[in-house]
Amino acid sequence: MIEARAAVVLEPGAVPQLTDVQIRPPVGDEVLVRVAAVGICHTDVSVSARFPAARLPMTFGHEGTGTVVEAGPDATAAMGQQVVLTFASCGECANCSEGAPAYCDHSTGLNMRGDRGDETSALRLHGTPVAGGFFGQSSFATHAISRPANTVVLPEPMPPELAAPLGCSVQTGVGTVLNALALAAADVLAVFGAGAVGLSAVMGGRIAGCRAIVAVDPVPQRRALAMRLGATAVIDPVDGDVAAHLIEVTGGGATAAIDTTALPDVIATALTCLRARGTLALVGLGALSAALPVGLIMGRGLRVRGVVEGDSDPHVFIPQLAQMWRRGDLPLEELVTTFSFDDFGDAWHSATTGGAVKPVLVMRPDR
């Protein structure tokens, strides 16, 4: 067993606590990754808060990056390679076979539930198996086990604190614009919520060359950041009629909107901002249902679609995102606030209160 340190949720709704753990060696096609950095995502916060007590203790974390330090006999990544850890998929169902692993038939089990916490689990706490495998990784730890589907090799070195968010939030935001919506110069994009995913969508809109990009968020600093990253206008939702304002500043409304908030009222507002035959992409994880204005949708020929992980094939898209960063098209430095892994509680507080757009935990090199 390998001695490691991990942030473990010990009780329902509790803040993860740093504790010593053991990780078994990789088997089969698995690799053991020494984690260099890991982002904290809203999904980590929301899922850990309601994770079943019977499945605890549990380690979360799904935006890990680091170096392969041990490989199973059937692994595809080699020791010494820098990798980004992303969502898990089975690689065998129809959607995986058709290049749509984000919609894997087994996605919920592989990503949201983690492993069984039995003898097959990678993690041990005081020698007893505990649940892990969140998004195929559980990377709130100094080491993580992953498999080929969710282990993306970076062709060129990249700072780990900037590589980590590529695994989920940046992939989701940029991918929704470029892959799912396939926006171009004629499009007007409205983004609701200027967190890590929303601001990544703003950058995606600029990369796509959208003629107008409007970000809607109540936080002044995030609106200012959206302008620096490519928004042509920003709207404070507390100032009045968001839809009217957006239609005014865009000369008729958006051809595409992205909701990152998962708030029913915001989703309804986003729909009213769309031009005829426009599309609303839902990417936020929150409310499981929302009332929709069916008459408006039908009368304007609107489309509403869900988007998971930016419709990405991560082995193709994550290296492309890294190249966008190298070209200066994806200034990830603007999103990231780093914290020492030893200061996990501070980073978690920043994530839950919105103090940082993208908190990223950086490991000590001697861990």
Side-chain angles (χ1 to χ4, degrees), residues 278-303:
T279 301
L280 170 62
L282 303 177
V283 304
L285 182 64
L288 299 180
S289 63
L292 297 180
V294 175
L296 177 69
I297 293 171
M298 293 183 64
R300 293 188 187 175
L302 306 180
R303 286 168 286 187

Side-chain angles (χ1 to χ4, degrees), residues 146-216:
S146 62
R147 300 186 62 202
N150 68 311
T151 306
V152 178
V153 176
L154 289 177
E156 301 176 57
M158 185 173 176
E161 68 273 16
L162 304 183
L166 300 182
C168 184
S169 54
V170 175
Q171 175 173 235
T172 298
V174 179
T176 299
V177 173
L178 301 184
N179 301 332
L181 298 174
L183 302 187
D187 287 300
V188 174
L189 172 64
V191 179
F192 290 82
V197 174
L199 290 169
S200 295
V202 168
M203 291 190 285
R206 182 180 48 75
I207 292 167
C210 295
R211 63 184 177 90
I213 304 166
V214 182
V216 182

